[in-house]
Amino acid sequence: DALNTEVKALKGSRVLLLGVSYKADVGDMRESPALDLLHLLSEKGANIAYHDPYVPQLRLDGHAMSSVTLDEKMLHRADCVVITAAHSSYDWEWVTRHSRLIMDTRNATRHIAAPRARIVRL
């Protein structure tokens, strides 16, 4: 829905998930809601990538995925950044400064006073 508001279809959009572990600051993937989200986004035709300092690799539907380098270029290229684990190592001010659209499922950006990105909080 957030992409539709930006007049952008989910199919073909670049979606970057930040933090895919079960909870912040751990590498445990068991029962992580990010896995379901990755699967659904893939089914809908999104070009998905993820970054997680605690999960360097994962398997999704039998395919291996690796955590991408989180830099300004990666954030600028993403049509939507989805925060799925609020790791304390993330600089949320920096993330909002270099992103266009953020879906914050963990309220990680609540203290950002004047974000440059449009933030949708769940």
Side-chain angles (χ1 to χ4, degrees):
D1 289 339
L3 281 167
N4 281 337
T5 302
E6 300 290 322
V7 191
K8 180 87 174 145
L10 178 58
K11 185 175 183 176
S13 290
R14 292 185 197 107
V15 180
L16 173 64
L17 273 68
L18 295 183
V20 294
S21 61
Y22 174 68
K23 64 180 184 175
D25 301 328
V26 300
D28 189 352
M29 291 292 299
R30 291 176 293 169
E31 299 182 32
S32 173
L35 292 174
D36 291 334
L37 187 55
L38 284 166
H39 178 74
L40 289 170
L41 289 168
S42 179
E43 268 188 348
K44 297 290 185 182
N47 295 316
I48 53 174
Y50 82 93
H51 176 270
D52 193 310
Y54 299 96
V55 182
Q57 294 185 333
L58 63 83
R59 293 196 69 73
L60 179 67
D61 299 329
H63 297 94
M65 291 182 71
S66 295
S67 179
V68 298
T69 301
L70 184 60
D71 57 19
E72 291 176 16
K73 182 179 179 181
M74 182 59 67
L75 290 170
H76 283 293
R77 289 186 58 212
D79 295 305
C80 184
V81 174
V82 182
I83 300 170
T84 50
H87 296 314
S88 61
S89 60
Y90 287 132
D91 178 347
W92 299 115
E93 178 72 36
W94 179 81
V95 169
T96 62
R97 192 175 329 121
H98 298 289
S99 303
R100 293 182 272 175
L101 173 63
I102 297 174
M103 290 290 306
D104 185 353
T105 70
R106 296 293 178 227
N107 206 21
T109 60
R110 68 187 169 280
H111 299 298
I112 307 298
R116 291 185 65 187
R118 184 168 79 86
I119 299 173
V120 177
R121 293 182 177 93
L122 299 179

